[in-house]
Amino acid sequence: MSKQKEELEHRLKLRNIKLSDYNDIRDIMTSIYKEPGGAWTKEELKNQIKVFPEGQICIEDNGKVVAAALSLVVDYSKFGDNHTYDQITGFGKFDTHDENGDTLYGTDVFVSKDYRGMRLGRRLYDARKELCENLNLRSIIAGGRIPGYSKYADQMTPRKYIDLVKNKEVFDPVLSFQLANEFHVRKVITKYLPEDTDSRAYATLLEWINIYYEKEEKLIGNKKSIVRLGLVQWKMRRFNNVDDLMQQVEFFVDTVSGYKSDFCLLPEFFNAPLLAEFNDMDASEAIRNLADYTQEIVTRMRDLALSYNVNIIAGSMPEYDGKKLRNVSYLCRRDGTIDKQYKLHITPDEQAYWGLQGGNGIKVFDTDAGRIGILICYDVEFPELGRILAEQEMDILFVPFWTDTKNAYLRVSTCAKARAVENECYVAITGSVGNLPRVENMDIQHSQAVIYSPCDFSFPHDAVVAEASLNTETTIVADVDLDLLTKLRKAGSVRNLAQRRLDLYSIHWKKNKS
């Protein structure tokens, strides 16, 4: 891998701030807050970390801090609604922090200008909400700037301006973002930041209510229990180029991300419409030319995963290294990392038409929303693979597939459902619909996206969590509860994993061949 390529790869990590991050934080604050006060001093940041380390959160990329959010806990009754920024932060010392307080008070959120558009602010807000819930605090309160008000100050009151922003008649770079993140305006306060001339020293007093208040929860960064899956049932249509293809991909990624999905699953060979460009070639030559687009698509998928904060299982695409043509599914995590899983079993048609060869390895992938496996289409029809993944504590199995007829689809879907039952896991499958005239071996499609569960009392009676309409371009979004899998494995009506007769049989993975 070239040095230039390494420098372009993101490695996002959400974590608590350390004092050694000060230079990065100072540089961001100085570039953003040129007028209202500039950056915290190193001594101020040191004290903020000392009094409440859990509340100082940042996002790093390859070791460099690129965004941060600062907060403290206060007994809000001691301050009330008519406070100033300096009063509630103790002039930046955070000596107003009260570990027995009832409110998480947000003081600052800032993102490097080089990382605008990647929705890092939303990640920080979500982390704050998680912290508020897990510390069992009543709400998050913050004083919000309204920098866009300076353009309207001679025409209207702050309250009128806020109403226009709420109704989306006017865009404010701070308030519009906060409203989109489920905060509501309690009131307008004056002289909150006297030096903030853009806001004319006005501010909004914003609040987010913790509906789980009084419940005990864990702190940020722990394994999720409820995981939201977004499946794309993709329509095969003509695309002129990769840009056209990725425009449609981004539409669906945006759609499932809008519902705060943790995963977005695309079908096997979702990029097959680009084969139309090579209609004049032999099928085996055409698929190898299609493979030339794979790296570009993976890079752009990685960028979408980062920007939309969703882990993407990028269906599958052909990969050709000059000697072997293989079918590979890429996992593009929302932290910027990438993994891949090769298809192991090749169908007779895939071998005859294209000369595809199978991979020789399989593993479970760690994500921020559970341990997952990927089996591409035909592979799910081999029960040994699902069992090997289950033995590695897989929670969710993703199956991108492509099938042309109903009987082919039923082979995949029936086996996928069996994998969910026998391996006590969730299985999500999706394929393509529509037709591609004059694209050999990819001309017709048959699909119904489904999320399967184990079959016991805590799950749907038919083991179907959700299913899409047959042969229609659409998405399904549904939640799966990973804690239910733990309960099933320990106390289910039957326990397929625990009660295997390992004294009689086992599955042994042979050493990989080079």
Side-chain angles (χ1 to χ4, degrees):
M1 183 181 293
S2 68
K3 181 177 180 182
Q4 183 180 9
K5 184 175 180 182
E6 289 178 346
E7 291 174 350
L8 292 175
E9 289 186 346
H10 293 288
R11 292 292 186 275
L12 297 184
K13 181 180 179 181
L14 178 71
R15 61 170 174 82
N16 291 115
I17 294 172
K18 300 174 290 188
L19 188 59
S20 58
D21 299 321
Y22 176 72
N23 289 342
D24 292 340
I25 290 173
R26 179 201 59 202
D27 292 344
I28 301 172
M29 293 188 75
T30 300
S31 68
I32 296 173
Y33 300 142
K34 292 180 180 178
E35 188 171 284
W40 295 111
T41 66
K42 190 170 185 178
E43 190 63 26
E44 287 170 334
L45 181 65
K46 179 180 179 180
N47 199 59
Q48 292 161 2
I49 296 171
K50 179 181 178 181
V51 299
F52 186 36
E54 299 89 347
Q56 319 320 321
I57 303 166
C58 70
I59 296 173
E60 70 166 41
D61 188 12
N62 290 306
K64 181 181 177 65
V65 173
V66 297
L70 309 179
S71 60
L72 66 157
V73 176
V74 297
D75 180 350
Y76 194 70
S77 64
K78 294 181 179 179
F79 297 92
D81 289 346
N82 294 314
H83 59 269
T84 67
Y85 183 83
D86 286 337
Q87 287 171 344
I88 206 158
T89 64
F91 293 88
K93 297 177 182 177
F94 278 26
D95 53 13
T96 52
H97 173 73
D98 184 352
E99 62 182 12
N100 296 314
D102 62 349
T103 300
L104 184 68
Y105 196 92
T107 64
D108 296 272
V109 173
F110 42 87
V111 178
S112 168
K113 292 180 179 179
D114 294 334
Y115 285 76
R116 298 285 170 84
M118 292 178 65
R119 296 173 174 82
L120 300 189
R122 185 171 71 175
R123 295 196 194 196
L124 292 170
Y125 268 57
D126 287 345
R128 266 187 182 168
K129 292 174 186 176
E130 186 180 3
L131 181 63
C132 180
E133 291 173 358
N134 296 332
L135 288 176
N136 193 31
L137 299 175
R138 182 183 59 82
S139 66
I140 302 173
I141 288 181
R145 300 176 60 232
I146 44 174
Y149 179 59
S150 60
K151 299 177 182 178
Y152 300 87
D154 296 332
Q155 308 168 34
M156 63 186 72
T157 64
R159 185 170 298 279
K160 176 63 176 178
Y161 174 78
I162 291 167
D163 287 339
L164 290 175
V165 176
K166 285 182 180 178
N167 296 330
K168 300 187 184 300
E169 298 292 334
V170 171
F171 175 81
D172 185 277
V174 176
L175 180 57
S176 295
F177 172 78
Q178 292 165 328
L179 294 174
N181 279 274
E182 304 171 332
F183 280 75
H184 71 273
V185 179
R186 284 177 56 143
K187 64 171 295 183
V188 178
I189 47 181
T190 59
K191 299 181 180 179
Y192 182 70
L193 277 170
E195 65 270 29
D196 184 7
T197 56
D198 283 344
S199 303
R200 297 295 193 265
Y202 291 105
T204 55
L205 188 65
L206 296 144
E207 184 175 38
W208 176 84
I209 301 295
N210 175 17
I211 63 173
Y212 301 110
Y213 183 54
E214 293 185 351
K215 288 188 176 181
E216 296 205 1
E217 302 286 343
K218 298 178 181 179
L219 298 178
I220 66 169
N222 290 292
K223 179 181 177 181
K224 299 188 70 169
S225 171
I226 305 299
V227 176
R228 184 159 295 174
L229 310 183
L231 278 58
V232 178
Q233 188 156 277
W234 174 265
K235 182 178 180 179
M236 290 291 194
R237 51 165 64 85
R238 291 294 183 108
F239 295 110
N240 294 323
N241 48 48
V242 174
D243 287 338
D244 283 353
L245 174 79
M246 293 307 299
Q247 182 180 46
Q248 190 69 10
V249 169
E250 183 171 4
F251 166 78
F252 282 114
V253 171
D254 187 11
T255 297
V256 301
S257 173
Y259 292 100
K260 298 185 178 179
S261 297
D262 295 294
F263 292 98
C264 176
L265 175 65
L266 292 163
E268 180 182 25
F269 285 129
F270 69 94
N271 65 334
L274 297 176
L275 279 169
E277 179 183 346
F278 312 113
N279 274 340
D280 58 336
M281 300 179 183
D282 176 81
S284 62
E285 185 180 1
I287 195 74
R288 284 162 174 78
N289 276 273
L290 180 64
D292 290 340
Y293 293 125
T294 295
Q295 190 54 55
E296 178 185 354
I297 294 173
V298 171
T299 299
R300 294 174 70 166
M301 283 285 191
R302 186 274 316 275
D303 293 343
L304 291 178
L306 287 165
S307 180
Y308 288 95
N309 193 24
V310 60
N311 299 298
I312 301 175
I313 293 92
S316 80
M317 292 173 278
E319 177 189 273
Y320 184 55
D321 62 3
K323 296 179 180 179
K324 291 183 178 180
L325 176 70
R326 294 185 287 188
N327 187 356
V328 60
S329 179
Y330 286 88
L331 167 62
C332 299
R333 297 183 184 87
R334 53 188 167 192
D335 67 358
T337 58
I338 297 174
D339 259 312
K340 60 183 178 180
Q341 174 63 58
Y342 289 105
K343 188 173 185 177
L344 304 188
H345 298 87
I346 306 303
T347 67
D349 275 356
E350 289 171 333
Q351 202 286 321
Y353 278 95
W354 294 331
L356 272 171
Q357 299 183 50
N360 57 10
I362 192 171
K363 69 174 182 177
V364 169
F365 303 100
D366 284 310
T367 74
D368 60 6
R371 290 172 61 78
I372 72 167
I374 302 171
L375 294 178
I376 302 172
C377 197
Y378 192 30
D379 281 345
V380 80
E381 298 177 31
F382 295 83
E384 298 89 347
L385 299 183
R387 180 50 52 85
I388 289 169
L389 294 173
E391 290 175 342
Q392 299 175 42
E393 300 180 343
M394 172 184 65
D395 299 309
I396 307 168
L397 175 61
F398 290 97
V399 183
F401 69 86
W402 169 78
T403 53
D404 52 354
T405 60
K406 185 175 182 178
N407 57 306
Y409 165 74
L410 287 175
R411 287 195 298 268
V412 171
S413 60
T414 302
C415 291
K417 190 172 186 178
R419 301 298 85 84
V421 172
E422 68 198 16
N423 295 309
E424 298 171 340
C425 65
Y426 295 102
V427 180
I429 70 171
T430 196
S432 300
V433 302
N435 305 305
L436 279 177
R438 298 180 59 214
V439 176
E440 188 175 0
N441 206 37
M442 297 292 292
D443 47 353
I444 60 174
Q445 327 287 321
H446 185 101
S447 175
Q448 185 174 30
V450 188
I451 301 171
Y452 295 113
S453 72
C455 201
D456 210 335
F457 293 115
S458 297
F459 304 92
H461 72 278
D462 57 356
V464 176
V465 176
E467 60 184 356
S469 299
L470 179 67
N471 284 333
T472 301
E473 183 174 44
T474 187
T475 61
I476 56 174
V477 177
D479 290 343
V480 296
D481 189 339
L482 303 188
D483 283 349
L484 291 180
L485 299 180
T486 302
K487 294 176 182 177
L488 173 70
R489 293 163 185 168
K490 293 181 179 179
S493 300
V494 295
R495 295 161 218 172
N496 297 76
L497 287 176
Q499 295 181 322
R500 288 171 294 154
R501 289 290 306 275
L502 298 180
D503 58 321
L504 301 178
Y505 59 84
S506 65
I507 298 174
H508 175 64
W509 186 265
K510 296 182 178 180
K511 184 178 179 180
N512 292 343
K513 296 179 180 180
S514 59

